[in-house]
Amino acid sequence: MSNARVISMEQGDVYEYRAFFRKTGRAKYISHLDLYRTIQRSFKRAGLPVWHTLGYNPHIYLTFPLPISLGYEGVRESFDFRLCSDMPAEEVIHRLNGALPEGIIIVGLDAPVCKAESIAMADYTLTLSGGGLDGEALLEKWQGFLSQKEIIAEKRSKKGLRPVDLKPMILKASACASGDTLQLQLTLTAGISVNLNPTLVTDTFGSWAGFEPDYHSIRRDAVRCGDGAEFR
């Protein structure tokens, strides 16, 4: 028996899981919509008894608590799904990994613990260069940028561009220089209601410092709840 969450329905019990996966290498260029389709197809190739929604347009039940942006690598991303029968977690992981493309690998499977609404922050690592500056010069400019009382950016919303202060949404920030690159480690506000994209921070930094950032890598390291615990 697995440790899935059992949901009783009129048609019988279904078993809900939360899969944790890495998305690295070329897979970072798979958009969220294509990732959704890729995983749906992988369920079919794996021959798993996946549960479909009911109604006029039945489809595989598949949800992502906090989708990752195109071009980002993810260390511990997650999605929820349901099976019609209980199966050992090791077998589900093995069969899914055998059906997923290169760069996407399931690293864990468990019953969902936290609700998506509990997500409050996310950790990122970004490496960038630009402006013909070396790492130390970029670091000095970054420290000046971060020391502002307000960090005003133009954020796109359904009503168009609007000014927003990013400062309260940058919960933690550290940086180090290496050669001609600057590596940033950021903890930013994240979740359903407010989700700060790290490149909005660094693009605003570049605009403030007078250069366009050249991104070497962008990685989401963790998704966390309001108390700082990792999302499970």
PDB file of all heavy atoms in Angstrom, residues 68-99:
ATOM      1  N   ILE A  68       6.145  26.753 -12.993  1.00  0.00           N
ATOM      2  CA  ILE A  68       7.440  27.411 -13.167  1.00  0.00           C
ATOM      3  C   ILE A  68       7.487  28.071 -14.544  1.00  0.00           C
ATOM      4  O   ILE A  68       6.905  27.566 -15.512  1.00  0.00           O
ATOM      5  CB  ILE A  68       8.590  26.399 -12.997  1.00  0.00           C
ATOM      6  CG1 ILE A  68       9.934  27.113 -12.886  1.00  0.00           C
ATOM      7  CG2 ILE A  68       8.594  25.361 -14.105  1.00  0.00           C
ATOM      8  CD1 ILE A  68      11.068  26.207 -12.459  1.00  0.00           C
ATOM      9  N   SER A  69       8.162  29.198 -14.629  1.00  0.00           N
ATOM     10  CA  SER A  69       8.206  29.977 -15.868  1.00  0.00           C
ATOM     11  C   SER A  69       9.110  29.330 -16.913  1.00  0.00           C
ATOM     12  O   SER A  69      10.030  28.578 -16.589  1.00  0.00           O
ATOM     13  CB  SER A  69       8.705  31.397 -15.584  1.00  0.00           C
ATOM     14  OG  SER A  69       7.846  32.071 -14.692  1.00  0.00           O
ATOM     15  N   LEU A  70       8.827  29.632 -18.159  1.00  0.00           N
ATOM     16  CA  LEU A  70       9.632  29.159 -19.281  1.00  0.00           C
ATOM     17  C   LEU A  70      11.073  29.654 -19.129  1.00  0.00           C
ATOM     18  O   LEU A  70      11.315  30.819 -18.825  1.00  0.00           O
ATOM     19  CB  LEU A  70       9.040  29.673 -20.593  1.00  0.00           C
ATOM     20  CG  LEU A  70       9.785  29.323 -21.882  1.00  0.00           C
ATOM     21  CD1 LEU A  70       9.708  27.827 -22.143  1.00  0.00           C
ATOM     22  CD2 LEU A  70       9.214  30.095 -23.057  1.00  0.00           C
ATOM     23  N   GLY A  71      12.040  28.757 -19.351  1.00  0.00           N
ATOM     24  CA  GLY A  71      13.445  29.119 -19.269  1.00  0.00           C
ATOM     25  C   GLY A  71      14.055  28.954 -17.898  1.00  0.00           C
ATOM     26  O   GLY A  71      15.261  29.149 -17.723  1.00  0.00           O
ATOM     27  N   TYR A  72      13.232  28.574 -16.905  1.00  0.00           N
ATOM     28  CA  TYR A  72      13.735  28.368 -15.545  1.00  0.00           C
ATOM     29  C   TYR A  72      13.972  26.885 -15.305  1.00  0.00           C
ATOM     30  O   TYR A  72      13.164  26.041 -15.704  1.00  0.00           O
ATOM     31  CB  TYR A  72      12.720  28.845 -14.500  1.00  0.00           C
ATOM     32  CG  TYR A  72      12.486  30.321 -14.429  1.00  0.00           C
ATOM     33  CD1 TYR A  72      12.836  31.184 -15.462  1.00  0.00           C
ATOM     34  CD2 TYR A  72      11.872  30.873 -13.311  1.00  0.00           C
ATOM     35  CE1 TYR A  72      12.594  32.537 -15.380  1.00  0.00           C
ATOM     36  CE2 TYR A  72      11.622  32.232 -13.222  1.00  0.00           C
ATOM     37  CZ  TYR A  72      11.986  33.065 -14.259  1.00  0.00           C
ATOM     38  OH  TYR A  72      11.739  34.396 -14.173  1.00  0.00           O
ATOM     39  N   GLU A  73      15.049  26.575 -14.615  1.00  0.00           N
ATOM     40  CA  GLU A  73      15.227  25.224 -14.102  1.00  0.00           C
ATOM     41  C   GLU A  73      14.553  25.138 -12.732  1.00  0.00           C
ATOM     42  O   GLU A  73      14.438  26.140 -12.019  1.00  0.00           O
ATOM     43  CB  GLU A  73      16.711  24.877 -13.988  1.00  0.00           C
ATOM     44  CG  GLU A  73      17.409  24.751 -15.336  1.00  0.00           C
ATOM     45  CD  GLU A  73      18.810  24.194 -15.217  1.00  0.00           C
ATOM     46  OE1 GLU A  73      19.533  24.634 -14.299  1.00  0.00           O
ATOM     47  OE2 GLU A  73      19.171  23.334 -16.028  1.00  0.00           O
ATOM     48  N   GLY A  74      14.110  23.936 -12.381  1.00  0.00           N
ATOM     49  CA  GLY A  74      13.462  23.729 -11.092  1.00  0.00           C
ATOM     50  C   GLY A  74      14.060  22.533 -10.385  1.00  0.00           C
ATOM     51  O   GLY A  74      14.261  21.477 -10.993  1.00  0.00           O
ATOM     52  N   VAL A  75      14.368  22.694  -9.104  1.00  0.00           N
ATOM     53  CA  VAL A  75      14.993  21.634  -8.324  1.00  0.00           C
ATOM     54  C   VAL A  75      13.943  20.714  -7.703  1.00  0.00           C
ATOM     55  O   VAL A  75      14.113  19.492  -7.661  1.00  0.00           O
ATOM     56  CB  VAL A  75      15.885  22.230  -7.218  1.00  0.00           C
ATOM     57  CG1 VAL A  75      16.402  21.152  -6.274  1.00  0.00           C
ATOM     58  CG2 VAL A  75      17.046  22.994  -7.843  1.00  0.00           C
ATOM     59  N   ARG A  76      12.838  21.296  -7.244  1.00  0.00           N
ATOM     60  CA  ARG A  76      11.797  20.501  -6.568  1.00  0.00           C
ATOM     61  C   ARG A  76      10.424  21.086  -6.908  1.00  0.00           C
ATOM     62  O   ARG A  76       9.748  21.666  -6.068  1.00  0.00           O
ATOM     63  CB  ARG A  76      12.031  20.466  -5.063  1.00  0.00           C
ATOM     64  CG  ARG A  76      11.172  19.436  -4.329  1.00  0.00           C
ATOM     65  CD  ARG A  76      11.590  19.288  -2.876  1.00  0.00           C
ATOM     66  NE  ARG A  76      10.671  18.480  -2.099  1.00  0.00           N
ATOM     67  CZ  ARG A  76      10.644  17.153  -2.080  1.00  0.00           C
ATOM     68  NH1 ARG A  76      11.510  16.474  -2.828  1.00  0.00           N
ATOM     69  NH2 ARG A  76       9.787  16.491  -1.324  1.00  0.00           N
ATOM     70  N   GLU A  77      10.046  20.912  -8.145  1.00  0.00           N
ATOM     71  CA  GLU A  77       8.728  21.324  -8.606  1.00  0.00           C
ATOM     72  C   GLU A  77       7.713  20.231  -8.246  1.00  0.00           C
ATOM     73  O   GLU A  77       8.094  19.118  -7.839  1.00  0.00           O
ATOM     74  CB  GLU A  77       8.745  21.566 -10.108  1.00  0.00           C
ATOM     75  CG  GLU A  77       9.742  22.638 -10.523  1.00  0.00           C
ATOM     76  CD  GLU A  77       9.477  23.961  -9.828  1.00  0.00           C
ATOM     77  OE1 GLU A  77       8.345  24.468  -9.930  1.00  0.00           O
ATOM     78  OE2 GLU A  77      10.394  24.484  -9.172  1.00  0.00           O
ATOM     79  N   SER A  78       6.426  20.531  -8.388  1.00  0.00           N
ATOM     80  CA  SER A  78       5.439  19.527  -7.996  1.00  0.00           C
ATOM     81  C   SER A  78       4.187  19.597  -8.859  1.00  0.00           C
ATOM     82  O   SER A  78       3.874  20.631  -9.452  1.00  0.00           O
ATOM     83  CB  SER A  78       5.055  19.706  -6.522  1.00  0.00           C
ATOM     84  OG  SER A  78       4.415  20.950  -6.301  1.00  0.00           O
ATOM     85  N   PHE A  79       3.513  18.469  -8.936  1.00  0.00           N
ATOM     86  CA  PHE A  79       2.179  18.410  -9.521  1.00  0.00           C
ATOM     87  C   PHE A  79       1.380  17.335  -8.795  1.00  0.00           C
ATOM     88  O   PHE A  79       1.939  16.389  -8.230  1.00  0.00           O
ATOM     89  CB  PHE A  79       2.221  18.143 -11.035  1.00  0.00           C
ATOM     90  CG  PHE A  79       2.817  16.826 -11.450  1.00  0.00           C
ATOM     91  CD1 PHE A  79       2.059  15.663 -11.481  1.00  0.00           C
ATOM     92  CD2 PHE A  79       4.146  16.745 -11.832  1.00  0.00           C
ATOM     93  CE1 PHE A  79       2.605  14.451 -11.878  1.00  0.00           C
ATOM     94  CE2 PHE A  79       4.714  15.531 -12.231  1.00  0.00           C
ATOM     95  CZ  PHE A  79       3.936  14.383 -12.245  1.00  0.00           C
ATOM     96  N   ASP A  80       0.054  17.499  -8.789  1.00  0.00           N
ATOM     97  CA  ASP A  80      -0.851  16.563  -8.138  1.00  0.00           C
ATOM     98  C   ASP A  80      -1.606  15.763  -9.182  1.00  0.00           C
ATOM     99  O   ASP A  80      -1.986  16.296 -10.235  1.00  0.00           O
ATOM    100  CB  ASP A  80      -1.855  17.311  -7.256  1.00  0.00           C
ATOM    101  CG  ASP A  80      -1.192  18.063  -6.113  1.00  0.00           C
ATOM    102  OD1 ASP A  80       0.023  17.892  -5.898  1.00  0.00           O
ATOM    103  OD2 ASP A  80      -1.907  18.835  -5.432  1.00  0.00           O
ATOM    104  N   PHE A  81      -1.847  14.499  -8.883  1.00  0.00           N
ATOM    105  CA  PHE A  81      -2.628  13.643  -9.783  1.00  0.00           C
ATOM    106  C   PHE A  81      -3.322  12.573  -8.956  1.00  0.00           C
ATOM    107  O   PHE A  81      -3.053  12.411  -7.757  1.00  0.00           O
ATOM    108  CB  PHE A  81      -1.738  13.007 -10.856  1.00  0.00           C
ATOM    109  CG  PHE A  81      -0.721  12.029 -10.320  1.00  0.00           C
ATOM    110  CD1 PHE A  81      -0.977  10.656 -10.322  1.00  0.00           C
ATOM    111  CD2 PHE A  81       0.493  12.471  -9.821  1.00  0.00           C
ATOM    112  CE1 PHE A  81      -0.048   9.749  -9.831  1.00  0.00           C
ATOM    113  CE2 PHE A  81       1.437  11.564  -9.324  1.00  0.00           C
ATOM    114  CZ  PHE A  81       1.154  10.203  -9.323  1.00  0.00           C
ATOM    115  N   ARG A  82      -4.212  11.843  -9.599  1.00  0.00           N
ATOM    116  CA  ARG A  82      -4.955  10.783  -8.911  1.00  0.00           C
ATOM    117  C   ARG A  82      -4.912   9.495  -9.718  1.00  0.00           C
ATOM    118  O   ARG A  82      -4.924   9.538 -10.949  1.00  0.00           O
ATOM    119  CB  ARG A  82      -6.413  11.212  -8.697  1.00  0.00           C
ATOM    120  CG  ARG A  82      -6.572  12.407  -7.772  1.00  0.00           C
ATOM    121  CD  ARG A  82      -8.006  12.919  -7.763  1.00  0.00           C
ATOM    122  NE  ARG A  82      -8.157  14.072  -6.871  1.00  0.00           N
ATOM    123  CZ  ARG A  82      -9.256  14.811  -6.785  1.00  0.00           C
ATOM    124  NH1 ARG A  82     -10.311  14.499  -7.536  1.00  0.00           N
ATOM    125  NH2 ARG A  82      -9.305  15.835  -5.961  1.00  0.00           N
ATOM    126  N   LEU A  83      -4.875   8.383  -9.005  1.00  0.00           N
ATOM    127  CA  LEU A  83      -4.951   7.071  -9.627  1.00  0.00           C
ATOM    128  C   LEU A  83      -6.235   6.373  -9.183  1.00  0.00           C
ATOM    129  O   LEU A  83      -6.747   6.639  -8.086  1.00  0.00           O
ATOM    130  CB  LEU A  83      -3.744   6.210  -9.242  1.00  0.00           C
ATOM    131  CG  LEU A  83      -2.362   6.683  -9.706  1.00  0.00           C
ATOM    132  CD1 LEU A  83      -1.290   5.679  -9.262  1.00  0.00           C
ATOM    133  CD2 LEU A  83      -2.308   6.894 -11.210  1.00  0.00           C
ATOM    134  N   CYS A  84      -6.717   5.480 -10.032  1.00  0.00           N
ATOM    135  CA  CYS A  84      -7.939   4.737  -9.718  1.00  0.00           C
ATOM    136  C   CYS A  84      -7.670   3.565  -8.790  1.00  0.00           C
ATOM    137  O   CYS A  84      -8.614   3.005  -8.219  1.00  0.00           O
ATOM    138  CB  CYS A  84      -8.590   4.226 -11.006  1.00  0.00           C
ATOM    139  SG  CYS A  84      -9.146   5.545 -12.104  1.00  0.00           S
ATOM    140  N   SER A  85      -6.418   3.166  -8.653  1.00  0.00           N
ATOM    141  CA  SER A  85      -6.069   2.074  -7.750  1.00  0.00           C
ATOM    142  C   SER A  85      -4.787   2.418  -7.016  1.00  0.00           C
ATOM    143  O   SER A  85      -3.958   3.190  -7.504  1.00  0.00           O
ATOM    144  CB  SER A  85      -5.916   0.758  -8.521  1.00  0.00           C
ATOM    145  OG  SER A  85      -4.913   0.862  -9.519  1.00  0.00           O
ATOM    146  N   ASP A  86      -4.634   1.843  -5.834  1.00  0.00           N
ATOM    147  CA  ASP A  86      -3.465   2.115  -5.001  1.00  0.00           C
ATOM    148  C   ASP A  86      -2.249   1.377  -5.554  1.00  0.00           C
ATOM    149  O   ASP A  86      -2.348   0.210  -5.943  1.00  0.00           O
ATOM    150  CB  ASP A  86      -3.755   1.671  -3.575  1.00  0.00           C
ATOM    151  CG  ASP A  86      -2.799   2.270  -2.571  1.00  0.00           C
ATOM    152  OD1 ASP A  86      -2.038   3.172  -2.955  1.00  0.00           O
ATOM    153  OD2 ASP A  86      -2.818   1.844  -1.410  1.00  0.00           O
ATOM    154  N   MET A  87      -1.116   2.055  -5.594  1.00  0.00           N
ATOM    155  CA  MET A  87       0.107   1.449  -6.111  1.00  0.00           C
ATOM    156  C   MET A  87       1.296   1.887  -5.269  1.00  0.00           C
ATOM    157  O   MET A  87       1.293   2.998  -4.716  1.00  0.00           O
ATOM    158  CB  MET A  87       0.351   1.873  -7.573  1.00  0.00           C
ATOM    159  CG  MET A  87      -0.681   1.387  -8.559  1.00  0.00           C
ATOM    160  SD  MET A  87      -0.291   1.937 -10.264  1.00  0.00           S
ATOM    161  CE  MET A  87       1.260   1.067 -10.540  1.00  0.00           C
ATOM    162  N   PRO A  88       2.342   1.073  -5.143  1.00  0.00           N
ATOM    163  CA  PRO A  88       3.544   1.486  -4.418  1.00  0.00           C
ATOM    164  C   PRO A  88       4.180   2.711  -5.088  1.00  0.00           C
ATOM    165  O   PRO A  88       4.272   2.781  -6.322  1.00  0.00           O
ATOM    166  CB  PRO A  88       4.469   0.268  -4.521  1.00  0.00           C
ATOM    167  CG  PRO A  88       3.559  -0.879  -4.815  1.00  0.00           C
ATOM    168  CD  PRO A  88       2.434  -0.315  -5.631  1.00  0.00           C
ATOM    169  N   ALA A  89       4.629   3.654  -4.280  1.00  0.00           N
ATOM    170  CA  ALA A  89       5.213   4.885  -4.816  1.00  0.00           C
ATOM    171  C   ALA A  89       6.408   4.588  -5.712  1.00  0.00           C
ATOM    172  O   ALA A  89       6.582   5.220  -6.761  1.00  0.00           O
ATOM    173  CB  ALA A  89       5.626   5.800  -3.672  1.00  0.00           C
ATOM    174  N   GLU A  90       7.216   3.602  -5.337  1.00  0.00           N
ATOM    175  CA  GLU A  90       8.418   3.286  -6.117  1.00  0.00           C
ATOM    176  C   GLU A  90       8.055   2.843  -7.531  1.00  0.00           C
ATOM    177  O   GLU A  90       8.744   3.188  -8.504  1.00  0.00           O
ATOM    178  CB  GLU A  90       9.234   2.189  -5.425  1.00  0.00           C
ATOM    179  CG  GLU A  90       9.825   2.587  -4.082  1.00  0.00           C
ATOM    180  CD  GLU A  90       8.800   2.554  -2.946  1.00  0.00           C
ATOM    181  OE1 GLU A  90       7.663   2.068  -3.174  1.00  0.00           O
ATOM    182  OE2 GLU A  90       9.138   3.014  -1.846  1.00  0.00           O
ATOM    183  N   GLU A  91       6.975   2.074  -7.653  1.00  0.00           N
ATOM    184  CA  GLU A  91       6.570   1.612  -8.980  1.00  0.00           C
ATOM    185  C   GLU A  91       6.053   2.764  -9.830  1.00  0.00           C
ATOM    186  O   GLU A  91       6.370   2.862 -11.023  1.00  0.00           O
ATOM    187  CB  GLU A  91       5.494   0.533  -8.865  1.00  0.00           C
ATOM    188  CG  GLU A  91       5.059  -0.012 -10.225  1.00  0.00           C
ATOM    189  CD  GLU A  91       3.987  -1.086 -10.123  1.00  0.00           C
ATOM    190  OE1 GLU A  91       3.675  -1.517  -9.000  1.00  0.00           O
ATOM    191  OE2 GLU A  91       3.461  -1.469 -11.193  1.00  0.00           O
ATOM    192  N   VAL A  92       5.268   3.653  -9.225  1.00  0.00           N
ATOM    193  CA  VAL A  92       4.736   4.806  -9.961  1.00  0.00           C
ATOM    194  C   VAL A  92       5.886   5.678 -10.455  1.00  0.00           C
ATOM    195  O   VAL A  92       5.915   6.099 -11.616  1.00  0.00           O
ATOM    196  CB  VAL A  92       3.769   5.621  -9.082  1.00  0.00           C
ATOM    197  CG1 VAL A  92       3.283   6.859  -9.836  1.00  0.00           C
ATOM    198  CG2 VAL A  92       2.574   4.769  -8.651  1.00  0.00           C
ATOM    199  N   ILE A  93       6.858   5.950  -9.580  1.00  0.00           N
ATOM    200  CA  ILE A  93       8.015   6.775  -9.955  1.00  0.00           C
ATOM    201  C   ILE A  93       8.790   6.110 -11.095  1.00  0.00           C
ATOM    202  O   ILE A  93       9.151   6.773 -12.079  1.00  0.00           O
ATOM    203  CB  ILE A  93       8.931   7.006  -8.736  1.00  0.00           C
ATOM    204  CG1 ILE A  93       8.236   7.891  -7.700  1.00  0.00           C
ATOM    205  CG2 ILE A  93      10.260   7.631  -9.166  1.00  0.00           C
ATOM    206  CD1 ILE A  93       8.990   8.009  -6.381  1.00  0.00           C
ATOM    207  N   HIS A  94       9.043   4.816 -10.959  1.00  0.00           N
ATOM    208  CA  HIS A  94       9.810   4.089 -11.977  1.00  0.00           C
ATOM    209  C   HIS A  94       9.116   4.136 -13.338  1.00  0.00           C
ATOM    210  O   HIS A  94       9.763   4.402 -14.368  1.00  0.00           O
ATOM    211  CB  HIS A  94      10.017   2.646 -11.527  1.00  0.00           C
ATOM    212  CG  HIS A  94      10.706   1.787 -12.544  1.00  0.00           C
ATOM    213  ND1 HIS A  94      12.056   1.903 -12.816  1.00  0.00           N
ATOM    214  CD2 HIS A  94      10.223   0.820 -13.381  1.00  0.00           C
ATOM    215  CE1 HIS A  94      12.387   1.037 -13.760  1.00  0.00           C
ATOM    216  NE2 HIS A  94      11.294   0.371 -14.127  1.00  0.00           N
ATOM    217  N   ARG A  95       7.821   3.911 -13.355  1.00  0.00           N
ATOM    218  CA  ARG A  95       7.094   3.876 -14.620  1.00  0.00           C
ATOM    219  C   ARG A  95       6.978   5.264 -15.241  1.00  0.00           C
ATOM    220  O   ARG A  95       7.095   5.421 -16.462  1.00  0.00           O
ATOM    221  CB  ARG A  95       5.726   3.231 -14.411  1.00  0.00           C
ATOM    222  CG  ARG A  95       5.849   1.728 -14.187  1.00  0.00           C
ATOM    223  CD  ARG A  95       4.604   1.085 -13.644  1.00  0.00           C
ATOM    224  NE  ARG A  95       3.506   1.075 -14.607  1.00  0.00           N
ATOM    225  CZ  ARG A  95       2.380   0.380 -14.431  1.00  0.00           C
ATOM    226  NH1 ARG A  95       2.222  -0.371 -13.346  1.00  0.00           N
ATOM    227  NH2 ARG A  95       1.414   0.425 -15.333  1.00  0.00           N
ATOM    228  N   LEU A  96       6.775   6.288 -14.408  1.00  0.00           N
ATOM    229  CA  LEU A  96       6.703   7.644 -14.945  1.00  0.00           C
ATOM    230  C   LEU A  96       8.053   8.092 -15.493  1.00  0.00           C
ATOM    231  O   LEU A  96       8.129   8.670 -16.584  1.00  0.00           O
ATOM    232  CB  LEU A  96       6.231   8.616 -13.862  1.00  0.00           C
ATOM    233  CG  LEU A  96       4.728   8.837 -13.729  1.00  0.00           C
ATOM    234  CD1 LEU A  96       4.438   9.789 -12.574  1.00  0.00           C
ATOM    235  CD2 LEU A  96       4.120   9.366 -15.018  1.00  0.00           C
ATOM    236  N   ASN A  97       9.122   7.841 -14.758  1.00  0.00           N
ATOM    237  CA  ASN A  97      10.450   8.261 -15.224  1.00  0.00           C
ATOM    238  C   ASN A  97      10.840   7.566 -16.520  1.00  0.00           C
ATOM    239  O   ASN A  97      11.587   8.119 -17.337  1.00  0.00           O
ATOM    240  CB  ASN A  97      11.500   8.008 -14.142  1.00  0.00           C
ATOM    241  CG  ASN A  97      11.491   9.082 -13.063  1.00  0.00           C
ATOM    242  OD1 ASN A  97      11.007  10.188 -13.286  1.00  0.00           O
ATOM    243  ND2 ASN A  97      12.004   8.754 -11.886  1.00  0.00           N
ATOM    244  N   GLY A  98      10.343   6.365 -16.728  1.00  0.00           N
ATOM    245  CA  GLY A  98      10.618   5.670 -17.969  1.00  0.00           C
ATOM    246  C   GLY A  98       9.869   6.247 -19.158  1.00  0.00           C
ATOM    247  O   GLY A  98      10.214   5.966 -20.315  1.00  0.00           O
ATOM    248  N   ALA A  99       8.863   7.071 -18.873  1.00  0.00           N
ATOM    249  CA  ALA A  99       8.045   7.644 -19.936  1.00  0.00           C
ATOM    250  C   ALA A  99       8.274   9.137 -20.144  1.00  0.00           C
ATOM    251  O   ALA A  99       7.845   9.695 -21.157  1.00  0.00           O
ATOM    252  CB  ALA A  99       6.561   7.404 -19.630  1.00  0.00           C
TER     253      ALA A  99
END
